[in-house]
Amino acid sequence: DADVTQTPRNRITKTGKRIMLECSQTKGHDRMYWYRQDPGLGLRLIYYSFDVKDINKGEISDGYSVSRQAQAKFSLSLESAIPNQTALYFCATRSGGDTQYFGPGTRLTVL
Amino acid sequence: QKEVEQDPGPLSVPEGAIVSLNCTYSNSAFQYFMWYRQYSRKGPELLMYTYSSGNKEDGRFTAQVDKSSKYISLFIRDSQPSDSATYLCAMSTSSGAGSYQLTFGKGTKLSVIP
């Protein structure tokens, strides 16, 4: 089984809908991250969490919210999706070292 | 000026060629440097990690850091079609428990033609 899983893998939705992307990990890492990846813009950090009680905004947090339900689960929500949130979304985890382990990604399309 | 600059390519080379991938950066506080490989429809995976200036070799891959020039490189020797992927450089200003954020380049898409 994969260490970092993301659901759903693909999602098409309409403008204004609420969307939740979920991430689960079995690596036992404290630190979890949400990134989005856009062609020509690379990976950009949305939110990160050091533990269940710690949530921090990243570079592009506007329009997004997160919930750290447990050490192993970190969800990303789009309260009212808009077309420019169409992107590939990655969850990542990290232990005390420097290596981040990425999930397989969720491809989100907002029409 | 972006903190990390990376030529997006695409870069196409014949099998067996030596590939050179590069990133430049402007923030002199970056101390830790990584290369990630991302296959199509997959998440990035760590390929190389370096701290000090100089070279680090792992099989066919060599990572090079020149802090004085704020320039890092990844060399791939005897390139294979299986090396076809997007390569992202990443950097951080600290390591271990105190650090939290990586700054990524935009990625270079590499195709190795049989």
Side-chain angles (χ1 to χ4, degrees):
Chain A
D1 288 341
D3 294 320
V4 183
T5 58
Q6 292 183 235
T7 55
R9 294 294 312 277
N10 291 281
R11 181 71 183 267
I12 299 174
T13 191
K14 295 182 178 180
T15 297
K17 294 291 187 180
R18 185 178 186 275
I19 295 296
M20 178 180 286
L21 309 182
E22 299 187 343
C23 176
S24 295
Q25 53 118 343
T26 59
K27 300 187 76 66
H29 292 166
D30 292 329
R31 293 161 176 79
M32 298 188 74
Y33 305 77
W34 275 106
Y35 292 88
R36 65 177 280 175
Q37 188 175 41
D38 300 271
L41 295 177
L43 277 164
R44 293 181 291 166
L45 183 64
I46 306 172
Y47 272 95
Y48 62 99
S49 168
F50 282 178
D51 62 38
V52 174
K53 298 179 181 179
D54 178 81
I55 300 291
N56 303 280
K57 293 182 178 180
E59 180 185 354
I60 52 163
S61 59
D62 287 349
Y64 301 95
S65 63
V66 291
S67 173
R68 184 81 183 267
Q69 301 96 324
Q71 186 199 38
K73 296 184 182 297
F74 193 34
S75 300
L76 176 72
S77 294
L78 289 67
E79 296 300 326
S80 180
I82 56 177
N84 76 359
Q85 291 178 312
T86 293
L88 193 53
Y89 289 84
F90 287 104
C91 174
T93 74
R94 177 172 158 263
S95 64
D98 295 288
T99 303
Q100 291 193 15
Y101 299 88
F102 286 82
T106 294
R107 186 170 297 276
L108 177 66
T109 303
V110 183
L111 301 176
Chain B
Q1 181 187 10
K2 295 287 186 181
E3 277 196 302
V4 179
E5 299 278 2
Q6 183 177 10
D7 188 338
L11 180 62
S12 184
V13 301
E15 183 175 355
I18 296 175
V19 176
S20 174
L21 304 169
N22 311 293
C23 288
T24 59
Y25 61 95
S26 58
N27 186 353
S28 58
F30 285 136
Q31 297 292 325
Y32 301 88
F33 305 92
M34 287 140 270
W35 285 94
Y36 281 81
R37 178 175 61 195
Q38 184 178 16
Y39 290 115
S40 181
R41 300 186 180 278
K42 300 286 187 181
E45 57 178 345
L46 183 69
L47 192 60
M48 298 284 283
Y49 168 76
T50 57
Y51 165 62
S52 60
S53 287
N55 294 352
K56 180 177 182 179
E57 190 173 318
D58 183 1
R60 295 185 295 110
F61 298 90
T62 300
Q64 188 175 79
V65 175
D66 183 347
K67 289 184 179 179
S68 63
S69 300
K70 298 188 180 67
Y71 188 88
I72 69 171
S73 299
L74 178 71
F75 298 96
I76 307 174
R77 291 184 301 279
D78 187 25
S79 56
Q80 303 295 309
S82 58
D83 295 326
S84 298
T86 296
Y87 291 81
L88 303 110
C89 63
M91 311 176 185
S92 70
T93 57
S94 59
S95 178
S99 67
Y100 65 93
Q101 188 168 341
L102 295 179
T103 301
F104 286 88
K106 295 178 182 179
T108 300
K109 186 172 183 179
L110 171 68
S111 295
V112 180
I113 310 302

